[in-house]
Amino acid sequence: DIQMTQSPSSLSASVGDRVTITCRASQRISNFLNWYQQKAGEGPKLLIYSASNLQNGVPARFSGSGSGTDFTLTISNVQSGDFATYYCQQSYSTPNTFGPGTKVDVK
Amino acid sequence: EAQLVESGGGLVQPGGSLRLSCAASGFTFSRYWMTWVRQAPGKGLEWVANINHDGGDQYYLESVKGRFTISRDNAKNSLVLQMNTLRAEDTAIYYCTRRVANGGDWFDPWGQGTLVTVSS
């Protein structure tokens, strides 16, 4: 199985900050990497698919990049609704595996 | 708008069974693979099982093989997860999600989840 890691596991940010989350796969997965946002008590929400494509309706302050084993999710100009937990997920092979999550909270 | 609503969760004793359902609306259900993902309390997300368009192919997390069965009824726009021989480590919120494939593939949307608690 492909192992996914994320860093940091948590971070604190202020409204208006720029935040970067890193995801690493244990083997090369091309661009088969997706990002999800999960708020407390809710199901996850797709933000970015295929490493860099913004899902319809997701604000343009979210962006993704990377290929192979290393990927990043960037939130520019963090807003109050962005405080949540973020997960990466590889869809290169079954079982699809998720990173452990990065919790973004208020500084 | 595509929507998924799970039901069927609850408290069950170890060794017991539970049947989860997911009602789909707002999209052509029969065109998509469907998936169950779970989340143990305070933990991350774990893929559990996939089923293809017509129900002919299923894939499972190793730890649930032989105990869980994923199935679908395309006429009723319904996805089911039959869970047998439940263990404490199966305690989690179970989410139903649609697998979208277009080059790569991803999960969208997700339901609100249904909580399964395995405890004596």
Side-chain angles (χ1 to χ4, degrees):
Chain A
D1 298 359
I2 297 175
Q3 306 303 315
M4 307 299 293
T5 57
Q6 287 181 235
S7 62
S9 57
S10 65
L11 65 90
S12 297
S14 300
V15 171
D17 283 354
R18 180 184 180 91
V19 163
T20 298
I21 298 168
T22 297
C23 175
R24 176 166 289 175
S26 61
Q27 65 184 72
R28 296 183 67 83
I29 58 171
S30 184
N31 69 335
F32 292 90
L33 190 284
N34 309 308
W35 290 97
Y36 302 87
Q37 176 193 67
Q38 187 179 33
K39 297 181 180 179
E42 299 182 5
K45 172 188 173 183
L46 177 69
L47 297 177
I48 302 285
Y49 62 91
S50 298
S52 61
N53 295 280
L54 192 67
Q55 171 66 346
N56 288 343
V58 174
R61 62 180 179 273
F62 290 91
S63 63
S65 65
S67 184
T69 60
D70 295 320
F71 302 86
T72 60
L73 172 70
T74 299
I75 314 171
S76 60
N77 188 20
V78 167
Q79 299 299 299
S80 59
D82 300 339
F83 296 110
T85 300
Y86 294 84
Y87 294 93
C88 61
Q89 174 244 332
Q90 64 81 17
S91 60
Y92 183 82
S93 66
T94 300
N96 293 165
T97 43
F98 293 83
T102 296
K103 185 175 181 179
V104 178
D105 63 17
V106 179
K107 182 182 289 182
Chain B
E1 179 191 2
Q3 286 194 323
L4 300 165
V5 179
E6 303 93 336
S7 60
L11 174 63
V12 60
Q13 292 187 341
S17 299
L18 212 53
R19 180 182 173 91
L20 305 184
S21 296
C22 172
S25 61
F27 65 101
T28 305
F29 182 70
S30 61
R31 292 185 181 175
Y32 292 89
W33 286 56
M34 297 297 295
T35 297
W36 288 98
V37 174
R38 68 185 180 183
Q39 186 170 37
K43 302 297 185 182
L45 301 166
E46 182 177 51
W47 172 88
V48 174
N50 274 347
I51 188 167
N52 75 335
H53 314 81
D54 63 9
D57 290 322
Q58 306 91 33
Y59 302 87
Y60 297 95
L61 182 69
E62 192 64 35
S63 63
V64 309
K65 277 183 184 176
R67 301 188 299 121
F68 289 11
T69 302
I70 187 172
S71 62
R72 65 191 297 160
D73 184 337
N74 286 343
K76 296 182 178 180
N77 293 340
S78 175
L79 178 72
V80 170
L81 186 67
Q82 177 66 44
M83 305 186 295
N84 298 330
T85 319
L86 282 160
R87 306 168 180 168
E89 55 264 35
D90 296 318
T91 293
I93 297 172
Y94 285 73
Y95 295 102
C96 164
T97 183
R98 180 181 68 172
R99 180 183 166 195
V100 179
N102 186 358
D105 57 85
W106 49 89
F107 299 130
D108 178 68
W110 298 60
Q112 85 289 348
T114 187
L115 176 62
V116 172
T117 303
V118 184
S119 175
S120 54

